[in-house]
């Protein structure tokens, strides 16, 4: 009897152990089975917000052109739409199928976006690129609630744009591409900073940025619209208040004459309606040092302005262009080569020599 009881107990223990192993095995298989498709994941954006997003991202909408350009440079097939109508120069370097994307407006300098139109485009996520302050967080939370679409905040500091590419690449599953974009940006910024450190105070060039149709709007040092000039160690002569995100403080011609810049950068005539021809031909401007010495230049502006608007990755090429323009002995780039490389990597366009020459017309 005692012997039978021992056998029974042993059988019972073995049965329980096998059951436990089977149960544990089943549970583990379900948790780690690679065939189980995850439909959502949680990510942390640049503002520290945890956001649940789809595991697969096919379409992305940006609330402003800064982010729209970033998405376009990574994978234009994932762009849900544009914020504004494309201009002639933009269309020239953007494939026709992307020109047909809907214009969805946006939420930036002035609100032109509508949730109803946005929903028609069916983006998987929305990105808001800019600040990470409380106002931006509040906006993102409200838009997310209204649209019932995840909204992610990204910060776009020119000197940390590689980090933005890394983060966005993770969000939209494009790390292979964004690794290349991030490396280009990081390498460029390091080279620009290394070269800028070699420029002495005596070498620094005094520059006026002539914005607007008459060249009488501008932005001071420290503005996001003149950050390229600051980083290459040009001296911004404009002593005006920072007009904020939209920029463009009004100035008088008398002020510009007093500042007497050595170089004038102005909006591109064809793409932005700038005043290049007027500055070069008007008797009112003729006594300014930059005009007398024929050092007035248009900012290259197709498909996007190299200097500022929108203040996105386009400015990385602008750093090389402006550095080479102001201090060619320091920023000794082969600009034709640099422009071709940038357009190929970021704009998915292979430039001809003739196109490079045209882009740099009145810019060198």
């Amino acid at each position: 009897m005692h012997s039978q009881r021992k056998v029974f107990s042993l059988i019972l223990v073995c049965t329980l152990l096998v059951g436990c192993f089977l149960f544990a095995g089943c549970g583990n298989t379900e948790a780690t089975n690679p065939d189980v498709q995850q439909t959502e994941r949680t990510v942390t954006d640049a503002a520290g917000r945890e956001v649940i997003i789809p595991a697969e991202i096919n379409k992305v909408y940006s609330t402003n052109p800064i982010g729209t350009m970033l998405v376009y440079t990574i994978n234009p097939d994932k762009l849900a739409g544009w914020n504004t109508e494309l201009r002639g120069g933009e269309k020239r370097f953007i494939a026709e199928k992307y020109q047909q994307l809907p214009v969805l407006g946006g939420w930036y300098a002035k609100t032109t976006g509508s949730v109803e139109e946005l929903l028609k485009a069916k983006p998987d996520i929305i990105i808001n690129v800019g600040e990470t302050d409380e106002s931006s967080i509040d906006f993102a939370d409200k838009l997310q609630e209204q649209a019932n679409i995840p909204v992610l905040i990204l910060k776009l500091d020119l000197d940390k744009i590689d980090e933005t590419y890394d983060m966005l690449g993770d969000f939209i599953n494009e790390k292979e591409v964004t690794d290349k974009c991030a490396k280009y940006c990081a390498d460029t910024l390091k080279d620009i900073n290394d070269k800028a450190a070699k420029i002495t105070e005596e070498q620094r060039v005094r520059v006026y940025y002539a914005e607007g149709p008459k060249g009488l709007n501008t932005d001071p040092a420290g503005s996001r619209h003149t950050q390229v000039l600051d980083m290459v160690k040009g001296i911004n002569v404009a002593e005006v208040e920072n007009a904020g995100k939209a920029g463009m403080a009004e100035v008088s011609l008398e002020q510009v004459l007093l500042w007497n810049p050595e170089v004038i950068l102005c909006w591109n005539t064809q793409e932005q309606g700038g005043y290049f021809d007027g500055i070069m031909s008007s008797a009112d401007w003729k006594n300014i040092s930059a005009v007398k010495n024929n050092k007035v230049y248009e900012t290259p502006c197709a498909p996007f302005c190299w200097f500022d608007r929108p203040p996105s990755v386009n400015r990385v090429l602008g750093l090389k262009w402006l550095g080479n323009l102001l201090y060619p002995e320091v920023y000794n780039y082969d600009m034709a080569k640099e422009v071709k490389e940038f357009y190929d990597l970021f704009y998915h366009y292979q430039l001809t020599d003739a196109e490079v020459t045209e882009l740099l017309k009145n810019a060198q």
Side-chain angles (χ1 to χ4, degrees), residues 85-131:
E85 293 283 352
L86 295 177
R87 298 176 303 201
E90 291 167 339
K91 289 181 178 179
R92 178 175 176 184
F93 294 104
I94 291 174
E96 187 173 352
K97 69 175 181 176
Y98 304 122
Q99 296 177 29
Q100 305 307 315
L101 290 171
V103 177
L104 301 173
W107 286 263
Y108 47 106
K110 54 184 178 181
T111 299
T112 57
S114 108
V115 173
E116 290 74 18
E117 291 301 311
L118 174 58
L119 292 174
K120 292 177 186 177
K122 299 179 180 179
D124 298 299
I125 62 169
I126 298 169
I127 61 172
N128 182 48
V129 184
E131 305 301 325

Side-chain angles (χ1 to χ4, degrees), residues 15-265:
T15 302
L16 289 171
L17 286 171
V18 169
C20 288
F21 285 134
L22 287 172
F23 180 79
C26 288
N28 189 52
T29 301
E30 186 175 332
T32 60
N33 189 344
D35 295 327
V36 176
Q37 191 84 16
Q38 297 297 315
T39 59
E40 294 180 335
R41 64 191 181 109
T42 301
V43 299
T44 303
D45 70 10
R49 299 163 60 250
E50 287 193 349
V51 183
I52 298 172
I53 66 173
E56 183 177 348
I57 304 293
N58 295 307
K59 291 294 177 184
V60 183
Y61 167 75
S62 170
T63 61
N64 58 34
I66 302 172
T68 297
M69 186 184 300
L70 287 177
V71 177
Y72 181 82
T73 61
I74 296 168
N75 184 348
D77 288 322
K78 289 191 174 181
L79 191 62
W82 302 101
N83 303 109
T84 60
E85 293 283 352
L86 295 177
R87 298 176 303 201
E90 291 167 339
K91 289 181 178 179
R92 178 175 176 184
F93 294 104
I94 291 174
E96 187 173 352
K97 69 175 181 176
Y98 304 122
Q99 296 177 29
Q100 305 307 315
L101 290 171
V103 177
L104 301 173
W107 286 263
Y108 47 106
K110 54 184 178 181
T111 299
T112 57
S114 108
V115 173
E116 290 74 18
E117 291 301 311
L118 174 58
L119 292 174
K120 292 177 186 177
K122 299 179 180 179
D124 298 299
I125 62 169
I126 298 169
I127 61 172
N128 182 48
V129 184
E131 305 301 325
T132 58
D133 54 15
E134 287 301 320
S135 175
S136 299
I137 292 171
D138 183 59
F139 164 75
D141 289 343
K142 285 180 179 176
L143 181 58
Q144 183 168 283
E145 184 178 350
Q146 290 171 355
N148 195 29
I149 297 171
V151 178
L152 297 158
I153 295 174
L154 291 161
K155 190 168 184 179
L156 191 63
D157 290 333
L158 180 55
D159 56 352
K160 294 181 181 176
I161 193 170
D162 55 315
E163 296 176 11
T164 300
Y165 267 111
D166 283 335
M167 182 173 280
L168 184 54
D170 177 58
F171 291 163
I172 67 175
N173 307 314
E174 292 282 356
K175 284 291 289 176
E176 185 176 348
V177 175
T178 56
D179 282 350
K180 295 176 184 176
C181 294
K183 184 179 186 307
Y184 178 97
C185 292
D187 290 348
T188 296
L189 287 162
K190 182 182 183 308
D191 191 51
I192 291 293
N193 289 331
D194 288 347
K195 286 177 165 55
K198 299 175 183 177
I199 297 168
T200 66
E201 283 300 314
E202 293 73 24
Q203 289 176 298
R204 296 183 69 190
V205 177
R206 293 168 49 79
V207 181
Y208 171 68
Y209 180 34
E211 302 176 75
K214 293 295 182 182
L216 294 176
N217 294 90
T218 196
D219 285 285
S223 164
R224 66 165 57 177
H225 297 290
T226 55
Q227 192 175 8
V228 169
L229 178 58
D230 294 343
M231 290 184 70
V232 301
K233 284 292 185 74
I235 297 174
N236 188 336
V237 299
E239 297 174 0
V240 296
E241 292 293 322
N242 192 326
K245 292 181 181 179
M248 291 183 48
E250 290 187 18
V251 298
S252 67
L253 183 58
E254 289 72 25
Q255 285 176 296
V256 181
L257 288 166
L258 288 172
W259 291 331
N260 194 28
E262 299 168 84
V263 167
I264 294 176
L265 306 175

Side-chain angles (χ1 to χ4, degrees), residues 280-340:
M280 294 300 292
S281 62
S282 171
D284 294 335
W285 292 73
K286 68 178 183 179
N287 291 322
I288 296 174
S289 177
V291 179
K292 288 192 289 187
N293 295 314
N294 202 33
K295 291 191 175 182
V296 181
Y297 306 98
E298 286 185 295
T299 54
C301 206
F304 308 105
C305 179
W306 297 5
F307 190 69
D308 62 338
R309 291 177 175 82
S312 189
V313 67
N314 43 320
R315 296 180 296 167
V316 175
L317 178 59
L319 288 167
K320 290 184 174 181
W321 161 70
L322 187 57
N324 180 259
L325 180 70
L326 299 180
Y327 311 106
E329 70 285 355
V330 177
Y331 300 93
N332 52 346
Y333 302 117
D334 177 344
M335 282 311 301
K337 176 177 174 294
E338 297 291 345
V339 173
K340 284 183 177 181

